[in-house]
Amino acid sequence: MNQYEFVQEAILCIPLAVLAVVFVKTLHISWYFRAIIMIMVGWGMIAGAVNLYWEYSINFAPTDEMAMEHALKDGAPRVFGTFFGWMYGIVLYCVFELIRLIWVLTKVIVNKVGACHV
């Protein structure tokens, strides 16, 4: 993997990392406010990351042919990211809530089993 591809992949990972941090930082508030924040931040992050990805892919392509290929394919992803980026926030919110639920249930079960053996 060369530097160009590494930066492309890093740009695509930015929304996931930011939304994970936002989820952890908002654990102290109600689930519905957390969901709204995740949807809004997810929408902004996806729309921004998609635009950044395509701008980088076109402007820093190693060859003119690659730049032209990216330029011809950038319309649909940009429109989809702008209009439906909020879906990414919903999906990640659900995944993070599921992980949190499993974590909480695991802690409860371990505490009950530990209390029974004392």
Side-chain angles (χ1 to χ4, degrees):
M1 177 182 293
N2 59 27
Q3 181 181 0
Y4 176 73
E5 292 169 343
F6 178 79
V7 173
Q8 283 181 319
E9 297 301 321
I11 290 170
L12 295 177
C13 291
I14 291 171
L16 176 63
V18 169
L19 285 173
V21 170
V22 167
F23 183 81
V24 170
K25 292 293 186 180
T26 59
L27 281 174
H28 65 281
I29 63 175
S30 300
W31 69 269
Y32 46 88
F33 286 128
R34 187 168 49 248
I36 292 169
I37 291 169
M38 289 285 290
I39 291 167
M40 291 181 352
V41 172
W43 194 355
M45 290 304 302
I46 288 299
V50 167
N51 283 319
L52 180 62
Y53 174 85
W54 287 103
E55 287 297 321
Y56 175 80
S57 296
I58 293 167
N59 293 330
F60 295 99
T63 64
D64 290 337
E65 292 82 22
M66 285 180 72
M68 184 58 70
E69 181 181 327
H70 285 298
L72 293 173
K73 295 190 316 186
D74 74 335
R78 284 184 173 182
V79 170
F80 189 83
T82 301
F83 287 116
F84 299 108
W86 55 271
M87 287 181 182
Y88 190 81
I90 290 174
V91 169
L92 279 179
Y93 171 74
C94 292
V95 169
F96 291 154
E97 280 293 341
L98 180 64
I99 292 169
R100 186 183 72 80
L101 178 65
I102 292 169
W103 175 257
V104 168
L105 290 176
T106 303
K107 283 176 53 175
V108 168
I109 292 169
V110 167
N111 288 339
K112 285 191 182 214
V113 169
C116 291
H117 290 282
V118 174

